[in-house]
Amino acid sequence: MRAHPGLAEIERARAAIAGRVRRTPARLSPRLAERLGVPVVLKHEHEQITGAFKLRGATNALANLSEDERARGVVTVSTGNHGRALAHAAREAGVRCVVAMSRLVPGNKRDAIAALGAEIAIHGASQDEAQEEVDRRVAEGGLVEIPPFDHPDVIAGQGTLGLEIVEDVPDLAQVLIPLSGGGLAAGVAAAVKAKRPHARIVGITMERGAAMHASLAAGRPVLVEEAPSLADSLGGGIGLANRHTFPMLRDLMDEVVLLTEDEITLGMAFCHVAEGVMVEGGGAVGPGAILAGKVRPIGPTVALLTGANVDPAQHARIVSDPEILERLA
């Protein structure tokens, strides 16, 4: 098994993806700073080329494939954003790409992936069931799997975001990271802890089907029942054979915060009303956690806005709801 990626691998990833991904802006949020009582900076990673941070890891993973592997093509399982990122990176590299998804993945995300030229395979009612299709494609078709999170090159690519954060906010005290399978949290944690050992790493996720939280509590990877959530990009299991993200987060993450669906909704609405940006539920959990009073005011805080791939009709309903707007006034 390859070793967990550290600072050296993350810095190599930064060189490998340079010019292929955006360095995204970091902007102060006066309203969140007022609410928390310390400076709050929002890292606008939803402005990434494919609308989410996942492009970093996918691009780095493809850059590390051999010529033989590139010729065979790649396959992955995704709740949407990783599939879109891999489809984009594969198209740029001229590599065949297959994306397996469960029926729970929103139609707008499926359509966006297909528009990038990837082949779509819908299988099952959970990410774990969709993974069965990936396994079949690898065994029968010889495709190379690039998983959405539990892969050293993917984690290292996501970790480049951590390097930017430390440069953006040198006196960083804590980072609020949307938490799902843990590729982003593990990569960012590895980079931040290497540069700022005393900074706190806080994972933010939904109450419904939080697989990494349940696994950390159990001391081993466990299965959870998936359920529909506004934070759909945070759904899915971590894999019972998880090799990297679980042990890395067990060692590097300081806290996990769980949000209700109502708190996720408020985070999305806040991003629109106060910050003027469209952010999906899973990408808005950092602001949601601050608004819910679930974040400690220990010093300069960075919250990652990680994805903009939300169904427009769903977003419009949320940001035009008078009751929600009244709570943000």
Side-chain angles (χ1 to χ4, degrees), residues 85-108:
L86 189 62
H88 174 91
R91 185 179 68 174
E92 295 295 300
V95 173
R96 179 190 176 200
C97 178
V98 177
V99 179
M101 291 177 282
S102 80
R103 294 189 296 271
L104 289 180
V105 176
N108 66 299

Side-chain angles (χ1 to χ4, degrees), residues 102-286:
S102 80
R103 294 189 296 271
L104 289 180
V105 176
N108 66 299
K109 293 190 174 184
R110 294 197 304 267
D111 294 344
I113 293 169
L116 288 168
E119 301 166 40
I120 305 298
I122 303 298
H123 184 82
S126 71
Q127 180 128 322
D128 289 327
E129 291 181 4
Q131 178 65 40
E132 297 169 0
E133 179 66 12
V134 173
D135 297 341
R136 188 183 71 80
R137 298 283 185 128
V138 171
E140 297 178 10
L143 294 174
V144 178
E145 181 181 4
I146 297 183
F149 51 86
D150 194 37
H151 187 288
D153 295 332
V154 172
I155 296 168
Q158 319 304 24
T160 62
L161 192 48
L163 298 179
E164 292 182 19
I165 290 167
V166 172
E167 293 166 356
D168 292 335
V169 185
D171 57 347
L172 176 72
Q174 65 182 337
V175 187
L176 311 181
I177 310 173
L179 177 64
S180 181
L184 176 65
V188 170
V192 169
K193 290 287 191 180
K195 296 281 191 176
R196 299 290 184 273
H198 300 296
R200 284 175 54 80
I201 304 297
V202 182
I204 317 286
T205 191
M206 68 288 192
E207 288 184 347
R208 297 180 175 179
M212 183 61 77
H213 174 259
S215 297
L216 291 169
R220 58 182 173 80
V222 297
L223 295 174
V224 297
E225 183 177 349
E226 289 187 49
S229 171
L230 277 173
D232 57 85
S233 61
L234 303 185
I238 71 165
L240 293 180
N242 187 291
R243 296 180 176 183
H244 299 283
T245 61
F246 173 78
M248 288 179 72
L249 291 178
R250 179 191 59 205
D251 296 341
L252 295 173
M253 195 160 60
D254 296 287
E255 183 183 2
V256 177
V257 171
L258 302 180
L259 298 189
T260 66
E261 293 300 299
D262 181 66
E263 290 164 347
I264 296 168
T265 300
L266 207 60
M268 293 176 68
F270 173 87
C271 288
H272 177 79
V273 172
E275 305 297 333
V277 295
M278 178 184 288
V279 180
E280 63 187 89
V285 291

